[in-house]
Coordinates of all heavy atoms in Angstrom, one line a residue:
M2 N 112.2 -87.4 143.9 CA 111.0 -87.1 144.6 C 109.9 -87.3 143.6 O 109.9 -86.7 142.5 CB 111.1 -85.7 145.2 CG 110.1 -85.5 146.2 SD 110.1 -83.8 147.0 CE 111.6 -83.8 147.9
S3 N 108.8 -88.0 143.9 CA 107.7 -88.2 143.0 C 106.8 -87.0 142.9 O 106.8 -86.1 143.8 CB 106.9 -89.4 143.5 OG 106.2 -89.1 144.6
P4 N 106.1 -86.9 141.8 CA 105.2 -85.7 141.7 C 104.1 -85.7 142.8 O 103.7 -84.6 143.2 CB 104.5 -85.9 140.3 CG 105.5 -86.8 139.6 CD 106.1 -87.7 140.6
L5 N 103.7 -86.8 143.3 CA 102.7 -86.8 144.4 C 103.3 -86.2 145.6 O 102.6 -85.4 146.3 CB 102.3 -88.3 144.7 CG 101.2 -88.4 145.8 CD1 99.9 -87.7 145.4 CD2 101.0 -89.9 146.1
V6 N 104.5 -86.5 145.9 CA 105.1 -85.9 147.1 C 105.3 -84.4 147.0 O 105.0 -83.6 147.9 CB 106.5 -86.5 147.4 CG1 107.2 -85.8 148.5 CG2 106.3 -88.0 147.7
I7 N 105.6 -83.9 145.8 CA 105.8 -82.5 145.5 C 104.4 -81.8 145.6 O 104.3 -80.7 146.2 CB 106.4 -82.3 144.1 CG1 107.8 -82.8 144.1 CG2 106.3 -80.8 143.7 CD1 108.5 -82.8 142.7
A8 N 103.4 -82.5 145.1 CA 102.0 -81.9 145.2 C 101.6 -81.8 146.7 O 101.0 -80.8 147.1 CB 101.0 -82.7 144.4
I9 N 101.9 -82.8 147.4 CA 101.5 -82.8 148.9 C 102.2 -81.7 149.6 O 101.6 -80.9 150.4 CB 101.8 -84.2 149.5 CG1 100.8 -85.2 149.0 CG2 101.8 -84.1 151.0 CD1 101.2 -86.6 149.4
L10 N 103.5 -81.6 149.4 CA 104.3 -80.5 150.0 C 103.9 -79.1 149.6 O 103.8 -78.2 150.4 CB 105.8 -80.7 149.8 CG 106.4 -82.0 150.4 CD1 107.9 -82.1 150.0 CD2 106.3 -81.9 151.9
A11 N 103.5 -79.0 148.3 CA 103.0 -77.7 147.9 C 101.7 -77.3 148.5 O 101.5 -76.1 148.9 CB 102.9 -77.7 146.3
L12 N 100.8 -78.3 148.7 CA 99.5 -78.0 149.3 C 99.7 -77.6 150.8 O 99.1 -76.7 151.3 CB 98.6 -79.2 149.2 CG 98.0 -79.4 147.8 CD1 97.2 -80.7 147.8 CD2 97.1 -78.2 147.4
F13 N 100.6 -78.3 151.5 CA 100.9 -78.0 152.9 C 101.5 -76.6 153.0 O 101.3 -75.9 153.9 CB 101.7 -79.1 153.5 CG 100.9 -80.3 153.9 CD1 101.4 -81.6 153.6 CD2 99.7 -80.2 154.6 CE1 100.7 -82.7 154.0 CE2 99.0 -81.3 155.0 CZ 99.5 -82.6 154.7
A14 N 102.4 -76.3 152.1 CA 103.1 -75.0 152.1 C 102.1 -73.9 151.9 O 102.2 -72.9 152.6 CB 104.2 -75.0 151.1
I15 N 101.2 -74.1 151.0 CA 100.1 -73.1 150.7 C 99.3 -72.9 152.0 O 99.0 -71.8 152.4 CB 99.3 -73.4 149.5 CG1 100.2 -73.3 148.2 CG2 98.1 -72.6 149.4 CD1 99.5 -73.9 147.0
A16 N 98.9 -74.0 152.5 CA 98.0 -74.0 153.8 C 98.8 -73.3 154.9 O 98.2 -72.4 155.6 CB 97.6 -75.4 154.2
A17 N 100.1 -73.6 155.1 CA 100.8 -72.9 156.1 C 101.0 -71.4 155.9 O 100.9 -70.6 156.8 CB 102.2 -73.6 156.2
G18 N 101.2 -71.1 154.6 CA 101.3 -69.6 154.3 C 100.0 -68.9 154.5 O 100.1 -67.8 155.1
L19 N 98.9 -69.4 154.1 CA 97.6 -68.8 154.4 C 97.3 -68.7 155.9 O 96.8 -67.7 156.4 CB 96.5 -69.5 153.7 CG 96.5 -69.4 152.2 CD1 95.4 -70.4 151.6 CD2 96.3 -68.0 151.7
T20 N 97.7 -69.7 156.6 CA 97.5 -69.7 158.1 C 98.4 -68.6 158.8 O 97.9 -67.9 159.7 CB 97.9 -71.1 158.7 OG1 97.1 -72.0 158.0 CG2 97.6 -71.1 160.2
I21 N 99.6 -68.5 158.3 CA 100.5 -67.4 158.8 C 99.9 -66.1 158.5 O 100.0 -65.2 159.4 CB 101.9 -67.6 158.3 CG1 102.5 -68.9 158.9 CG2 102.8 -66.4 158.6 CD1 103.9 -69.3 158.4
V22 N 99.4 -65.9 157.4 CA 98.7 -64.6 157.1 C 97.6 -64.3 158.0 O 97.4 -63.2 158.5 CB 98.2 -64.6 155.6 CG1 97.3 -63.4 155.3 CG2 99.4 -64.6 154.6
R23 N 96.8 -65.4 158.3 CA 95.7 -65.2 159.3 C 96.2 -64.9 160.7 O 95.6 -64.1 161.4 CB 94.8 -66.5 159.3 CG 93.6 -66.4 160.1 CD 92.7 -65.3 159.6 NE 91.4 -65.5 160.1 CZ 90.5 -64.6 159.9 NH1 90.7 -63.6 159.2 NH2 89.3 -64.8 160.4
M24 N 97.3 -65.5 161.0 CA 97.9 -65.2 162.4 C 98.3 -63.7 162.5 O 98.2 -63.1 163.5 CB 99.1 -66.1 162.6 CG 98.7 -67.5 163.0 SD 100.1 -68.6 163.1 CE 100.8 -68.0 164.6
V25 N 98.8 -63.2 161.4 CA 99.3 -61.8 161.4 C 98.2 -60.8 161.3 O 98.1 -59.8 162.0 CB 100.3 -61.6 160.3 CG1 100.7 -60.1 160.1 CG2 101.6 -62.5 160.5
V26 N 97.2 -61.1 160.4 CA 96.1 -60.2 160.1 C 94.9 -60.4 161.0 O 94.1 -59.4 161.2 CB 95.7 -60.3 158.6 CG1 94.6 -59.4 158.3 CG2 96.9 -60.0 157.7
G27 N 94.8 -61.5 161.6 CA 93.6 -61.9 162.4 C 93.0 -60.7 163.2 O 93.8 -60.1 164.0
P28 N 91.8 -60.4 163.2 CA 91.3 -59.3 163.9 C 91.2 -59.5 165.4 O 91.2 -58.5 166.2 CB 89.9 -59.1 163.3 CG 89.5 -60.4 162.7 CD 90.8 -61.0 162.3
S29 N 91.1 -60.7 165.9 CA 91.0 -60.9 167.3 C 92.0 -62.0 167.8 O 92.6 -62.7 167.0 CB 89.6 -61.3 167.7 OG 89.3 -62.7 167.2
I30 N 92.1 -62.1 169.1 CA 93.1 -63.0 169.6 C 92.6 -64.5 169.4 O 93.4 -65.4 169.2 CB 93.3 -62.8 171.1 CG1 94.5 -63.6 171.6 CG2 92.1 -63.0 171.9 CD1 95.0 -63.2 173.0
L31 N 91.3 -64.6 169.3 CA 90.8 -66.0 169.1 C 91.1 -66.4 167.7 O 91.4 -67.6 167.4 CB 89.3 -66.0 169.4 CG 88.9 -65.8 170.8 CD1 87.4 -65.8 171.0 CD2 89.4 -67.0 171.7
D32 N 91.0 -65.5 166.7 CA 91.3 -65.8 165.3 C 92.8 -66.3 165.2 O 93.2 -67.2 164.6 CB 91.1 -64.7 164.4 CG 89.6 -64.4 164.2 OD1 88.8 -65.3 164.3 OD2 89.3 -63.2 164.0
R33 N 93.6 -65.5 165.9 CA 95.1 -65.9 165.9 C 95.3 -67.2 166.6 O 96.2 -68.0 166.2 CB 95.9 -64.8 166.6 CG 95.9 -63.5 165.8 CD 96.7 -62.5 166.4 NE 96.9 -61.3 165.4 CZ 96.4 -60.1 165.7 NH1 95.7 -59.9 166.8 NH2 96.5 -59.2 164.8
A34 N 94.6 -67.5 167.7 CA 94.7 -68.8 168.4 C 94.3 -69.9 167.5 O 95.0 -71.0 167.5 CB 93.9 -68.8 169.7
V35 N 93.2 -69.8 166.8 CA 92.7 -70.8 165.9 C 93.7 -71.0 164.8 O 94.0 -72.1 164.4 CB 91.3 -70.5 165.4 CG1 90.9 -71.4 164.2 CG2 90.3 -70.6 166.5
A36 N 94.3 -69.9 164.3 CA 95.3 -70.0 163.2 C 96.5 -70.7 163.7 O 97.1 -71.5 163.0 CB 95.6 -68.6 162.7
S37 N 96.9 -70.5 164.9 CA 98.1 -71.2 165.4 C 97.8 -72.7 165.6 O 98.7 -73.5 165.3 CB 98.6 -70.6 166.8 OG 97.6 -70.8 167.8
D38 N 96.6 -73.0 166.0 CA 96.2 -74.4 166.0 C 96.2 -75.1 164.7 O 96.7 -76.2 164.5 CB 94.8 -74.6 166.7 CG 94.8 -74.5 168.2 OD1 95.9 -74.5 168.7 OD2 93.8 -74.3 168.7
V39 N 95.8 -74.4 163.7 CA 95.8 -74.9 162.3 C 97.2 -75.1 161.8 O 97.5 -76.0 161.1 CB 94.9 -74.0 161.4 CG1 95.1 -74.4 159.9 CG2 93.5 -74.0 161.8
L40 N 98.1 -74.1 162.2 CA 99.5 -74.2 161.8 C 100.1 -75.5 162.4 O 100.9 -76.2 161.8 CB 100.2 -73.0 162.1 CG 101.7 -72.9 161.6 CD1 101.7 -73.0 160.1 CD2 102.3 -71.7 162.1
L41 N 99.8 -75.7 163.7 CA 100.4 -76.9 164.4 C 99.8 -78.2 163.7 O 100.5 -79.1 163.6 CB 100.1 -76.9 165.8 CG 100.9 -75.9 166.7 CD1 100.4 -75.9 168.1 CD2 102.4 -76.3 166.6
T42 N 98.6 -78.1 163.4 CA 98.0 -79.3 162.7 C 98.6 -79.5 161.3 O 98.8 -80.7 161.0 CB 96.4 -79.1 162.6 OG1 95.9 -78.8 163.8 CG2 95.8 -80.3 161.9
T43 N 98.9 -78.5 160.6 CA 99.6 -78.6 159.3 C 101.0 -79.2 159.5 O 101.4 -80.1 158.8 CB 99.7 -77.2 158.7 OG1 98.4 -76.7 158.5 CG2 100.3 -77.4 157.3
V44 N 101.7 -78.8 160.6 CA 103.0 -79.4 160.8 C 102.8 -80.9 161.2 O 103.6 -81.7 160.7 CB 103.7 -78.6 162.0 CG1 104.9 -79.3 162.4 CG2 104.0 -77.2 161.5
L45 N 101.8 -81.2 162.0 CA 101.6 -82.6 162.3 C 101.3 -83.4 161.0 O 101.8 -84.5 160.9 CB 100.4 -82.7 163.2 CG 100.7 -82.4 164.7 CD1 99.4 -82.4 165.5 CD2 101.6 -83.4 165.3
C46 N 100.5 -82.8 160.1 CA 100.2 -83.5 158.9 C 101.4 -83.7 158.0 O 101.6 -84.8 157.4 CB 99.1 -82.8 158.1 SG 97.5 -82.9 158.9
V47 N 102.3 -82.7 158.0 CA 103.5 -82.9 157.2 C 104.4 -84.0 157.8 O 104.9 -84.8 157.0 CB 104.3 -81.5 157.1 CG1 105.7 -81.7 156.6 CG2 103.5 -80.5 156.3
L48 N 104.6 -84.0 159.1 CA 105.4 -85.0 159.7 C 104.7 -86.4 159.5 O 105.4 -87.4 159.3 CB 105.5 -84.7 161.2 CG 106.4 -83.5 161.6 CD1 106.4 -83.3 163.1 CD2 107.8 -83.8 161.1
G49 N 103.4 -86.5 159.6 CA 102.7 -87.7 159.4 C 102.9 -88.2 157.9 O 103.1 -89.4 157.7
A50 N 102.8 -87.3 157.0 CA 103.0 -87.7 155.6 C 104.4 -88.1 155.3 O 104.6 -89.1 154.6 CB 102.6 -86.5 154.7
E51 N 105.4 -87.4 156.0 CA 106.8 -87.8 155.8 C 107.0 -89.2 156.4 O 107.7 -90.0 155.8 CB 107.7 -86.8 156.5 CG 109.1 -87.0 156.2 CD 109.8 -87.9 157.2 OE1 109.3 -88.0 158.4 OE2 110.8 -88.5 156.8
A52 N 106.4 -89.5 157.5 CA 106.5 -90.8 158.1 C 105.9 -91.9 157.2 O 106.5 -93.0 157.1 CB 105.9 -90.8 159.5
V53 N 104.8 -91.6 156.7 CA 104.1 -92.6 155.8 C 104.9 -92.8 154.5 O 105.1 -94.0 154.1 CB 102.7 -92.2 155.5 CG1 102.1 -93.0 154.4 CG2 101.8 -92.2 156.7
I54 N 105.4 -91.7 153.9 CA 106.1 -91.9 152.7 C 107.4 -92.6 152.9 O 107.8 -93.5 152.1 CB 106.4 -90.5 152.1 CG1 105.1 -89.8 151.6 CG2 107.4 -90.5 151.0 CD1 105.2 -88.4 151.3
N55 N 108.1 -92.3 154.0 CA 109.4 -93.0 154.2 C 109.3 -94.3 155.1 O 110.3 -94.9 155.4 CB 110.4 -92.1 154.9 CG 110.8 -91.0 154.0 OD1 110.9 -91.2 152.7 ND2 111.0 -89.8 154.5
Q56 N 108.0 -94.6 155.5 CA 107.7 -95.8 156.2 C 108.6 -96.0 157.5 O 109.3 -97.0 157.6 CB 107.8 -97.0 155.3 CG 106.9 -97.0 154.1 CD 107.0 -98.2 153.2 OE1 107.9 -99.0 153.3 NE2 106.1 -98.3 152.3
H57 N 108.4 -95.0 158.4 CA 109.1 -95.1 159.7 C 108.2 -94.5 160.7 O 107.2 -93.8 160.4 CB 110.5 -94.5 159.6 CG 110.4 -93.0 159.4 ND1 110.2 -92.1 160.4 CD2 110.6 -92.3 158.3 CE1 110.2 -90.9 160.0 NE2 110.4 -91.0 158.7
T58 N 108.6 -94.7 162.0 CA 107.8 -94.1 163.1 C 108.7 -93.2 164.0 O 108.4 -93.0 165.1 CB 107.2 -95.2 163.9 OG1 108.2 -96.1 164.4 CG2 106.2 -96.0 163.2
R59 N 109.8 -92.8 163.5 CA 110.8 -92.0 164.3 C 110.2 -90.6 164.7 O 110.5 -90.1 165.7 CB 112.1 -91.8 163.5 CG 112.9 -93.0 163.4 CD 114.2 -92.7 162.8 NE 114.1 -92.0 161.5 CZ 114.3 -92.6 160.3 NH1 114.6 -93.9 160.3 NH2 114.1 -91.9 159.2
T60 N 109.3 -90.1 163.9 CA 108.7 -88.8 164.2 C 107.5 -88.8 165.1 O 107.0 -87.8 165.5 CB 108.3 -88.0 162.9 OG1 107.4 -88.9 162.2 CG2 109.6 -87.7 162.1
L61 N 107.1 -90.0 165.5 CA 105.9 -90.1 166.4 C 106.0 -89.4 167.7 O 105.1 -88.6 168.1 CB 105.6 -91.6 166.6 CG 104.2 -91.9 167.3 CD1 103.1 -91.3 166.5 CD2 104.1 -93.3 167.5
P62 N 107.1 -89.5 168.4 CA 107.3 -88.7 169.7 C 107.2 -87.2 169.4 O 106.6 -86.4 170.2 CB 108.6 -89.1 170.2 CG 108.9 -90.4 169.6 CD 108.3 -90.4 168.3
I63 N 107.8 -86.7 168.4 CA 107.7 -85.3 168.0 C 106.3 -84.9 167.7 O 105.8 -83.8 168.2 CB 108.7 -85.0 166.8 CG1 110.1 -85.3 167.2 CG2 108.5 -83.5 166.4 CD1 111.1 -85.2 166.1
M64 N 105.6 -85.7 167.0 CA 104.2 -85.4 166.7 C 103.3 -85.3 168.0 O 102.5 -84.5 168.1 CB 103.6 -86.4 165.8 CG 104.2 -86.4 164.4 SD 103.8 -87.8 163.3 CE 102.0 -87.5 163.2
L65 N 103.6 -86.2 168.9 CA 102.9 -86.2 170.2 C 103.2 -84.9 171.0 O 102.2 -84.3 171.6 CB 103.2 -87.4 171.0 CG 102.6 -88.7 170.5 CD1 103.2 -89.9 171.3 CD2 101.1 -88.7 170.5
I66 N 104.4 -84.5 171.0 CA 104.8 -83.3 171.7 C 104.1 -82.1 171.1 O 103.6 -81.2 171.8 CB 106.3 -83.1 171.8 CG1 106.9 -84.2 172.7 CG2 106.7 -81.8 172.2 CD1 108.4 -84.3 172.6
I67 N 104.1 -82.0 169.8 CA 103.5 -80.9 169.1 C 102.0 -80.9 169.3 O 101.4 -79.8 169.6 CB 103.8 -81.0 167.5 CG1 105.2 -80.7 167.3 CG2 102.9 -80.0 166.8 CD1 105.7 -80.9 165.9
A68 N 101.3 -82.0 169.4 CA 99.9 -82.1 169.7 C 99.6 -81.6 171.1 O 98.7 -80.9 171.3 CB 99.4 -83.5 169.5
A69 N 100.5 -82.0 172.0 CA 100.3 -81.6 173.4 C 100.5 -80.1 173.5 O 99.7 -79.4 174.2 CB 101.3 -82.3 174.3
I70 N 101.5 -79.5 172.8 CA 101.7 -78.1 172.9 C 100.4 -77.4 172.3 O 100.0 -76.3 172.8 CB 102.9 -77.7 172.1 CG1 104.2 -78.1 172.9 CG2 103.0 -76.2 171.8 CD1 105.5 -78.0 172.1
G71 N 99.9 -77.9 171.3 CA 98.7 -77.3 170.7 C 97.5 -77.3 171.6 O 96.8 -76.3 171.8
V72 N 97.3 -78.4 172.3 CA 96.2 -78.5 173.2 C 96.4 -77.5 174.4 O 95.5 -76.8 174.8 CB 96.0 -79.9 173.7 CG1 95.1 -80.0 174.9 CG2 95.5 -80.8 172.6
F73 N 97.6 -77.6 175.0 CA 97.8 -76.7 176.2 C 97.8 -75.2 175.8 O 97.3 -74.4 176.5 CB 99.1 -77.1 176.8 CG 99.1 -78.4 177.4 CD1 100.2 -79.3 177.3 CD2 98.0 -78.9 178.1 CE1 100.2 -80.5 177.8 CE2 98.0 -80.2 178.7 CZ 99.1 -81.0 178.5
G74 N 98.3 -74.9 174.6 CA 98.2 -73.5 174.1 C 96.8 -73.0 173.9 O 96.4 -71.9 174.3
S75 N 95.9 -73.9 173.4 CA 94.5 -73.5 173.2 C 93.8 -73.3 174.5 O 93.1 -72.4 174.7 CB 93.8 -74.6 172.4 OG 94.4 -74.7 171.1
I76 N 94.1 -74.2 175.5 CA 93.5 -74.1 176.8 C 94.0 -72.8 177.5 O 93.2 -72.0 178.1 CB 93.9 -75.3 177.7 CG1 93.2 -76.5 177.1 CG2 93.5 -75.0 179.1 CD1 93.6 -77.8 177.8
A77 N 95.3 -72.4 177.3 CA 95.8 -71.2 177.9 C 95.1 -70.0 177.3 O 94.7 -69.0 178.0 CB 97.3 -71.2 177.8
V78 N 95.0 -70.0 176.0 CA 94.4 -68.8 175.4 C 92.9 -68.7 175.7 O 92.4 -67.6 176.0 CB 94.6 -68.9 173.8 CG1 93.7 -67.9 173.1 CG2 96.0 -68.7 173.4
A79 N 92.2 -69.8 175.8 CA 90.8 -69.8 176.2 C 90.6 -69.3 177.6 O 89.7 -68.5 177.9 CB 90.2 -71.2 176.0
R80 N 91.5 -69.7 178.5 CA 91.4 -69.2 179.9 C 91.7 -67.7 180.0 O 91.1 -67.0 180.7 CB 92.3 -70.0 180.8 CG 91.8 -71.4 181.0 CD 92.7 -72.1 182.0 NE 92.7 -71.4 183.3 CZ 92.3 -71.9 184.4 NH1 91.9 -73.2 184.4 NH2 92.4 -71.3 185.5
F81 N 92.7 -67.3 179.2 CA 93.0 -65.9 179.2 C 91.9 -65.0 178.7 O 91.6 -64.0 179.2 CB 94.3 -65.6 178.3 CG 94.7 -64.2 178.1 CD1 95.2 -63.5 179.2 CD2 94.4 -63.6 176.9 CE1 95.6 -62.2 179.0 CE2 94.8 -62.3 176.7 CZ 95.3 -61.6 177.8
V82 N 91.3 -65.4 177.6 CA 90.2 -64.7 177.0 C 89.0 -64.7 177.9 O 88.3 -63.7 178.1 CB 89.8 -65.2 175.6 CG1 88.5 -64.6 175.1 CG2 91.0 -65.0 174.6
A83 N 88.7 -65.8 178.6 CA 87.5 -65.9 179.5 C 87.8 -65.0 180.7 O 86.8 -64.3 181.1 CB 87.4 -67.4 179.9
R84 N 89.0 -65.0 181.2 CA 89.3 -64.1 182.4 C 89.2 -62.6 181.9 O 88.7 -61.8 182.7 CB 90.7 -64.4 182.9 CG 91.0 -63.6 184.1 CD 92.3 -63.9 184.7 NE 92.4 -65.3 185.0 CZ 93.5 -66.0 185.1 NH1 94.6 -65.4 184.9 NH2 93.5 -67.3 185.4
K85 N 89.6 -62.3 180.7 CA 89.6 -60.9 180.3 C 88.2 -60.5 180.1 O 87.8 -59.3 180.4 CB 90.4 -60.8 178.9 CG 90.7 -59.4 178.5 CD 91.6 -59.5 177.3 CE 91.9 -58.1 176.8 NZ 92.8 -58.1 175.6
E86 N 87.3 -61.3 179.6 CA 85.9 -61.0 179.4 C 85.1 -60.9 180.8 O 84.2 -60.1 180.9 CB 85.2 -61.9 178.5 CG 85.7 -61.8 177.1 CD 84.9 -62.7 176.1 OE1 83.9 -63.3 176.5 OE2 85.2 -62.7 174.9
Q87 N 85.6 -61.6 181.8 CA 84.9 -61.5 183.1 C 85.3 -60.1 183.8 O 84.5 -59.6 184.5 CB 85.4 -62.6 184.0 CG 84.7 -63.9 183.7 CD 85.2 -65.0 184.6 OE1 86.2 -64.8 185.4 NE2 84.6 -66.2 184.6
D88 N 86.4 -59.6 183.5 CA 86.9 -58.3 184.0 C 86.1 -57.2 183.5 O 86.0 -56.1 184.1 CB 88.3 -58.1 183.8 CG 89.2 -59.1 184.6 OD1 88.7 -59.7 185.5 OD2 90.4 -59.3 184.2
R89 N 85.4 -57.3 182.3 CA 84.7 -56.2 181.7 C 83.4 -55.9 182.5 O 82.8 -56.5 183.1 CB 84.3 -56.5 180.3 CG 85.5 -56.4 179.4 CD 85.1 -56.7 178.0 NE 86.3 -56.7 177.2 CZ 86.3 -56.9 175.9 NH1 85.2 -57.2 175.3 NH2 87.4 -56.9 175.2

């Protein structure tokens, strides 16, 4: 494994760790929703980097599914928060 790959994986691991901390500590549900989106994006970036490094496209369907889950999750949380604020 080359030093560049190790550096890339270390940066993504640090980003994922900080994002998980934000998901646990986040003061509001919106902070946690944004953190979950960032974590999904980090996973997408890791899969994309792996695909580029190994020069294949096998992970592309998985990346599309993860992106769809992220979008639908964000929409669900936004609708939940909007409905909760209307009830007040």
